[in-house]
Amino acid sequence: MPGRRLLLYAVLLLLIATVASAVAPRPRDSGVQTVEPSPAPSGPAADTVDGALPTDRRVRARVGDIVQLQVDHGERDVVEIPTLGISEPVEPGMPALLVFDADREGRFGVRLRMAGTRLGTVDVRPQP
């Protein structure tokens, strides 16, 4: 009888140790070090150029500017600047908003895809 009791205590102790080991939090050391992101380089802030089509037939910007172009249209269509690969849907009462970085110089046509109508241009010039 005392042998059984001792065996029962040993099994119970082993069971408690197993449960405690499974529940206890473990340190997470995967061997990979995390690197904090470095702050963005401080330089001149980009200017924002706002335009509205079809009101403004030509929107002028400089390389490095952020262009925000709002386009109103009376029918459902898609406003696009094909050369830049940018497009947004437009509906009556819900204008399209094209936002992009002017990262290269050139003259870029803005058009309605389904109507095939050219609304205006975005003229990006080099920095002075």
Side-chain angles (χ1 to χ4, degrees):
M1 198 70 133
R4 283 188 183 178
R5 230 181 241 173
L6 188 61
L7 185 60
L8 182 63
Y9 285 132
V11 169
L12 189 58
L13 186 61
L14 183 62
L15 182 63
I16 291 172
T18 304
V19 170
S21 175
V23 175
R26 294 188 179 154
R28 295 189 178 231
D29 183 22
S30 62
V32 178
Q33 292 181 343
T34 59
V35 177
E36 294 294 321
S38 60
S42 61
D47 290 330
T48 302
V49 176
D50 294 315
L53 293 177
T55 306
D56 304 331
R57 298 298 286 169
R58 177 175 287 160
V59 177
R60 291 181 174 90
R62 298 237 179 237
V63 172
D65 289 346
I66 297 171
V67 179
Q68 293 183 347
L69 197 60
Q70 182 174 326
V71 181
D72 289 305
H73 186 60
E75 296 180 28
R76 288 184 122 179
D77 210 323
V78 177
V79 179
E80 64 180 359
I81 305 175
T83 310
L84 299 178
I86 300 170
S87 64
E88 283 292 322
V90 64
E91 299 182 14
M94 193 161 108
L97 182 62
L98 301 172
V99 180
F100 61 94
D101 294 328
D103 59 355
R104 62 180 181 215
E105 63 180 280
R107 183 171 285 160
F108 307 103
V110 181
R111 68 184 196 115
L112 294 168
R113 182 182 297 165
M114 291 183 272
T117 307
R118 186 176 181 141
L119 298 172
T121 59
V122 177
D123 191 10
V124 180
R125 306 244 170 159
Q127 286 290 341

